[in-house]
Amino acid sequence: MNSFAIPRSVEWRETHITILNQQKLPSVTEYIDLHTLEDVHEAIATLKVRGAPAIGITAAYGLALAASRYETEAVDEFQRRLQQDRDYLASARPTAVNLFWALDRLVAAANSAASVNEAKTSLIHEAIRIQIEDEDVCRRIGEYALTLFRPGDRVMTICNAGSIATARYGTALAPFYLAKEKGIELSVYALETRPVLQGARLTTWELMQAGVDVTLITDNMAAQTIKAKHINAIIVGADRIARNGDTANKIGTFGLALLAQSFGIPFYVAAPLSTIDIKTKTGADIPIEERHPDEVTHLAGVRIAPEGVNVYNPAFDVTPNELITAIITEKGIVRGHYETALPSLFAKEEQY
Ligand code: MRU
């Protein structure tokens, strides 16, 4: 048992789903209950729950919950409604492939059931399995990632690819939790991550609870910090990795990868296989979410830009594969040659 806290963001409660409201952190630690498909869609779209794996887990529970209330005994009708609700939840956010991956896993589980009752049970079991697997996967990613760092390293990250973005441990933040467990000192430099400040609000909040040494900087301090603080490496999470290794992650990630190249330090992406989208050939094929202008014109609800100003608000950018030193997955570390190496990870995949 760990002696330090690693917060969790999603819990299945049979009649509803409880989530940590990530919109309100760190000033308010609030858990909210999601009872309907609409509640789940809204929570994902408004970032109450966010981070690619956590979105997938929540959507999976949402679909299982909705299906448990279908009043038909007819398998055809059940499958038709399931597909409809799957499509509705899939429309909540476009970039993180874990959302579609999790929903499609549930639909496949239900479609192989012989009766409506069996399908309802399979859906719940599959959603629970996705969450349990993700915790194990994140821990493995953390173990592999930790081999890339030496005691005393100073590592930069952006956004929040931590425990609350997954089932537990996170992806990019997993090595810091494991280092803490093993008594290895690592320092984290967290970019605040405008526009909605996942770095300032969430990454610092969860790492501080675990006693990990974390320093907050604003996004425009990255180059100066790499130079002045002798940053050894950059590690980020991912929302979708194309077959060739091009990686969509929080806006600002691409800029960090260019800085890493310029300073000659490694740039690592940590992500589960559920984030690798073999069907998407390159980063150019990844849909990039554009969010409401208010996220840019306002800071913590206060207007900081003139009314009517033009705003561009992409939530993600794509880092080209040639800037990525390695992709760290639960199946090991892949260094380059992503076009062939990433598909082969799936060929080796064992069933949990
Ligand atoms: O818009 P968000 O907060 O959902 O963006 C999240 C990220 O960009 C994370 O880095 C990514 O989902 C990986 S979470 C393990």
Side-chain angles (χ1 to χ4, degrees), residues 50-53 93 159-161 165-166 171 198 237-239 249-250 316:
R50 33 77 39 216
R93 293 191 77 187
C159 194
N160 172 268
T166 63
T171 55
Q198 290 94 332
D239 285 84
N249 190 50
K250 180 52 56 195
F316 302 98

Side-chain angles (χ1 to χ4, degrees), residues 80-283:
R80 195 190 54 73
R81 288 195 60 187
L82 191 70
Q83 189 62 41
Q84 208 176 354
D85 287 347
R86 176 256 171 232
D87 293 348
Y88 172 63
L89 285 180
S91 71
R93 293 191 77 187
T95 304
V97 75
N98 302 61
L99 174 61
F100 315 108
W101 170 87
L103 289 170
D104 291 341
R105 231 178 104 161
L106 257 71
V107 170
N111 287 351
S112 59
S115 69
V116 164
N117 271 347
E118 195 187 314
K120 288 180 179 179
T121 310
S122 307
L123 284 168
I124 292 167
H125 287 171
E126 194 66 7
I128 292 170
R129 206 173 292 129
I130 286 173
Q131 187 171 27
I132 291 171
E133 280 177 18
D134 190 60
E135 177 169 341
D136 179 51
V137 157
C138 286
R139 198 173 162 99
R140 289 174 193 225
I141 289 172
E143 297 282 3
Y144 281 119
L146 195 52
T147 65
L148 299 169
F149 302 134
R150 282 165 307 179
D153 271 1
R154 290 167 298 277
V155 185
M156 184 170 278
T157 192
I158 187 168
C159 194
N160 172 268
S163 181
I164 59 175
T166 63
R168 201 167 182 230
Y169 297 108
T171 55
L173 298 192
F176 307 116
Y177 287 117
L178 298 193
K180 195 74 198 166
E181 261 183 31
K182 296 172 200 285
I184 300 166
E185 278 306 315
L186 295 175
S187 302
V188 180
Y189 284 78
L191 267 69
E192 65 171 353
T193 320
R194 270 286 275 153
V196 295
L197 303 172
Q198 290 94 332
R201 297 187 303 104
L202 309 176
T203 293
T204 55
W205 176 81
E206 62 164 271
L207 291 182
M208 285 172 76
Q209 283 179 69
V212 175
D213 178 40
V214 56
T215 301
L216 175 64
I217 60 169
T218 63
D219 298 330
N220 52 356
M221 294 174 188
Q224 167 63 14
T225 305
I226 293 171
K227 191 170 122 187
K229 298 293 179 184
H230 309 289
I231 297 297
N232 301 96
I234 297 174
I235 188 166
V236 301
D239 285 84
R240 191 186 299 220
I241 301 175
R243 186 188 188 93
N244 72 343
D246 291 349
T247 295
N249 190 50
K250 180 52 56 195
I251 190 73
T253 301
F254 179 25
L256 281 187
L258 289 167
L259 284 179
Q261 181 188 49
S262 175
F263 281 97
I265 59 173
F267 180 85
Y268 299 124
V269 171
L273 263 58
S274 55
T275 301
I276 300 173
D277 184 8
I278 292 299
K279 292 196 294 297
T280 296
K281 277 178 75 178
T282 74

